[in-house]
């Protein structure tokens, strides 16, 4: 079986519909680009990129290369974290003159752990329009294959690089009822996993989604306590950009006299991990919830 060409796969009527939609002037088009696989871009995004007067981008070299893959060449405006306020004024002026400008990041959706929010804010404050073109997002991509069943997620993004600040942030998240979504770079992955283990304990599930949509993509789910060994088993597992998903806090333990009594007795002789595991067997309550309660009892003592 041979692969059909794109021209045979795509209904021409859809391409006509893309071209016939409204693309107002004096508008900032906030446009999501692929997070790795160049094919992960929408038809509407390609059409907008072909028609805008300029593209504001995080790195002009990366965006020039991406546009070249689609056979496009555009005026590029550098819009990164160090010049965002200044370039926002220039973009507003160009929009007021009737231009259409696309805003992109190096990968994924602009203004989500990437530059762009200040530009959008400036455009809106000037009474102009910002129009979103949805597409790839590393956070949502990872969530979709995590298997973590939860109607809520909390986007944390990158944790602080300093240990004490990171510890404070994680401490504030230990009771979160939502799946936690974090981004991490390869050179910090080991220390971040260790910090998560210290904050949340060994039993919560973690998903390590690495190099999503790229050639060496991997998605691994395990108890947090097993994550350091998994990363250490193969040096390649520590390479690439990471999305980390941490299971939500377990339901609050029913503070029954029996459960409290059992934990108090066991904690006098055993570690938190051993006491919570044995208490789960004795009471029939969830081990994760008992672990969280045991931590609270230890800290209170």
């Amino acid at each position: 079986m041979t692969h059909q060409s794109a021209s045979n796969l795509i209904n021409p009527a859809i391409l006509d519909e893309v071209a016939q939609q409204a693309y107002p002037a004096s508008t900032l088009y906030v446009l999501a680009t692929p997070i790795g696989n160049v094919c992960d871009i929408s038809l509407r995004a390609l059409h907008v990129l072909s028609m805008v007067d300029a593209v504001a981008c995080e790195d002009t070299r990366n965006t020039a290369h991406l546009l070249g893959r689609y056979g496009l060449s555009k005026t590029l405006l550098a819009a990164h974290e160090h010049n965002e306020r200044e370039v926002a004024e220039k973009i507003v002026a160009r929009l007021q003159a009737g231009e259409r400008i696309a805003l992109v990041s190096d990968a994924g959706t602009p203004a989500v752990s990437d530059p762009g929010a200040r530009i959008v804010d400036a455009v809106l404050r000037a009474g102009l329009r910002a129009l979103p073109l949805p597409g790839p997002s590393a956070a949502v991509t990872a969530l979709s294959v995590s298997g973590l069943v939860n109607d809520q997620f909390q986007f944390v993004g990158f944790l602080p690089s300093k240990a004490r600040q990171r510890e404070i942030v994680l401490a504030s998240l230990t009771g979160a009822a939502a799946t936690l979504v974090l981004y991490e770079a390869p050179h910090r992955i080991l220390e971040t996993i260790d910090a998560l283990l210290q904050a949340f304990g060994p039993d919560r599930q973690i998903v390590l989604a690495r190099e999503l949509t790229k050639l060496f993509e991997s998605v691994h789910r395990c108890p947090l306590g097993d994550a350091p060994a998994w990363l250490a088993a193969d040096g390649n597992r520590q390479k690439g950009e990471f999305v980390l998903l941490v299971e939500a806090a377990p339901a609050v333990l029913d503070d029954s006299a029996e459960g409290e009594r059992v934990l108090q007795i066991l904690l006098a002789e055993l570690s938190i991990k051993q006491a919570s595991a044995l208490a789960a067997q004795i009471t029939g309550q969830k081990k994760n919830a008992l672990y969280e309660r045991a931590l609270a009892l230890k800290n209170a003592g």
Side-chain angles (χ1 to χ4, degrees):
M1 179 181 293
T2 59
H3 294 290
Q4 290 179 281
S5 69
S7 60
N8 291 330
L9 289 172
I10 299 173
N11 185 340
I14 293 296
L15 299 178
D16 288 341
E17 184 172 334
V18 170
Q20 291 170 9
Q21 291 182 14
Y23 300 96
S26 299
T27 297
L28 180 73
Y29 292 85
V30 184
L31 190 150
T33 54
I35 58 176
N37 192 316
V38 72
C39 297
D40 293 339
I41 192 165
S42 73
L43 296 175
R44 192 158 66 109
L46 285 175
H47 184 77
V48 166
L49 287 172
S50 72
M51 68 180 296
V52 293
D53 297 286
V55 178
C57 54
E58 192 174 357
D59 188 313
T60 56
R61 295 166 298 181
N62 290 343
T63 299
H65 177 73
L66 179 66
L67 293 178
R69 296 289 301 274
Y70 303 128
L72 299 172
S73 178
K74 289 288 171 179
T75 298
L76 301 179
L77 310 173
H80 46 75
E81 61 179 331
H82 302 297
N83 76 340
E84 198 172 352
R85 292 186 187 279
E86 293 77 9
V87 78
E89 296 178 6
K90 297 178 182 178
I91 289 173
V92 166
R94 294 183 68 150
L95 294 176
Q96 289 172 332
E99 292 190 7
R100 298 175 179 86
I101 295 179
L103 172 66
V104 304
S105 65
D106 281 348
T109 302
V112 181
S113 274
D114 275 326
R118 289 187 177 90
I119 293 172
V120 174
D121 179 58
V123 168
L124 297 178
R125 288 179 181 275
L128 297 163
R129 184 175 180 184
L131 193 154
L133 276 77
S137 165
V140 175
T141 300
L143 280 165
S144 71
V145 292
S146 70
L148 297 176
V149 182
N150 194 332
D151 291 335
Q152 305 176 62
F153 70 88
Q154 181 174 342
F155 181 72
V156 180
F158 288 96
L159 291 169
S161 58
K162 294 184 178 179
R164 180 54 182 160
Q165 294 176 349
R166 183 170 59 232
E167 181 182 335
I168 292 171
V169 170
L170 291 177
S172 72
L173 297 170
T174 55
T179 298
L180 301 176
V181 183
L182 302 93
Y183 287 166
E184 195 49 273
H187 67 278
R188 296 201 321 175
I189 187 62
L190 294 178
E191 64 181 276
T192 294
I193 291 298
D194 181 64
L196 293 173
L197 184 56
Q198 295 301 316
F200 300 117
D203 295 324
R204 288 207 207 179
Q205 292 287 305
I206 184 170
V207 176
L208 299 98
R210 184 178 67 89
E211 292 291 270
L212 288 171
T213 79
K214 300 176 185 177
L215 180 61
F216 298 107
E217 172 186 275
S218 68
V219 179
H220 179 73
R221 183 173 125 177
C222 65
L224 191 44
D226 295 344
W230 182 81
L231 285 167
D234 183 346
N236 289 322
R237 294 174 180 173
Q238 301 172 32
K239 298 177 180 178
E241 300 299 320
F242 286 84
V243 181
L244 304 175
L245 307 178
V246 181
E247 184 181 24
V252 177
L253 176 66
D254 179 16
D255 193 16
S256 66
E258 179 63 10
E260 192 87 0
R261 186 183 71 83
V262 170
L263 271 180
Q264 291 279 17
I265 293 171
L266 295 175
L267 285 170
E269 302 293 334
L270 303 173
S271 69
I272 290 176
K273 183 178 180 180
Q274 292 170 323
S276 56
L278 188 53
Q281 295 179 30
I282 295 171
T283 66
Q285 297 178 18
K286 291 184 177 180
K287 184 170 67 174
N288 286 355
L290 285 162
Y291 184 90
E292 296 290 336
R293 184 57 182 156
L295 276 176
L297 289 170
K298 275 287 190 182
N299 292 334

